[in-house]
Structures are given as structure tokens and as C-alpha cells.
Amino acid sequence: MSAPPKIAVVGMAWYRQEDWPSLRELFVDADKLHTKWEDWQRIAVIGEHQARQKGQRVVRVEIRPALFAEWCSILGIPTDAAARARWVKEVTVRQVRQKTRSPLDV
């Protein structure tokens, strides 16, 4: 019996429109982001579509201002792109592990 094909999983930072102003204030590198949420969303949806067309499974990982700020504070890291990437990776890995866990796993 052969193993099922592996599907690449890609985590993408995802932002809610109502959080955008708070996130832009929170992120130390906000000057590198789109000013308007609508501009960010348009580009993000295109990237998500392109990843799916390549056969990748996309996991949207919400970054919520208060939770992300607290997480960064606990870790002692700045609220920048590297922190967002780390957050997305950690959440994505956790979600994938939970979905692939067998009922026999303890």
C-alpha cells in the first residue's frame, strides 16, 4: 500500500479589516505594508489563489492585535515581519498536526 501524496501546506498571515488600523499601529514595520486593508486583501487573495493553483493547501492564519502583541512581548521580539512569519508558521504547524493526528495517537 503506497503512502498518500504529500500536499504542501502554506500558511498566510490574514488580517481582518476592522483590525487593520490597530495592526498598522502595532507593527514596527508598518511603513512596508499597504496603507489600505483593501489593497492588502486584493494582493493576498491573488497570492492565495496562485498557491492553490500550484496544488498547495493554504491555511489562513489570523493575526489579531492584542494576542499578537502579547505573544511578541512574552517572547521579547519586535512586532515585525519576522515575528509575523514565525507566528504564521507556528499556528500552521499546530493546525496541520491537529488535523493529521490519528485517534490512536496519545
Side-chain angles (χ1 to χ4, degrees):
M1 191 158 132
S2 63
K6 291 190 177 189
I7 297 173
V9 178
V10 177
M12 290 185 70
W14 213 259
Y15 311 109
R16 297 181 331 159
Q17 185 172 14
E18 59 268 27
D19 290 336
W20 192 248
S22 298
L23 290 167
R24 285 194 42 83
E25 287 180 25
L26 174 65
F27 296 156
V28 296
D29 57 353
D31 59 311
K32 298 176 184 171
L33 300 174
H34 295 282
T35 305
K36 295 179 182 178
W37 176 85
E38 293 83 2
D39 295 335
W40 165 80
Q41 189 213 28
R42 182 175 39 81
I43 299 299
V45 168
I46 290 169
E48 181 181 41
H49 178 73
Q50 290 172 340
R52 287 191 172 134
Q53 291 229 300
K54 293 178 186 175
Q56 298 171 329
R57 180 174 147 225
V58 177
V59 176
R60 290 182 178 185
V61 178
E62 278 193 5
I63 296 183
R64 303 293 298 275
L67 186 58
F68 183 70
E70 181 180 5
W71 180 79
C72 287
S73 177
I74 289 168
L75 294 177
I77 59 176
T79 56
D80 60 7
R84 293 190 297 275
R86 182 173 172 182
W87 172 271
V88 168
K89 181 179 178 182
E90 289 184 16
V91 171
T92 301
V93 167
R94 190 175 315 124
Q95 286 184 8
V96 169
R97 284 186 180 154
Q98 286 175 350
K99 289 185 179 182
T100 59
R101 192 174 285 161
S102 163
L104 301 176
D105 292 342
V106 178

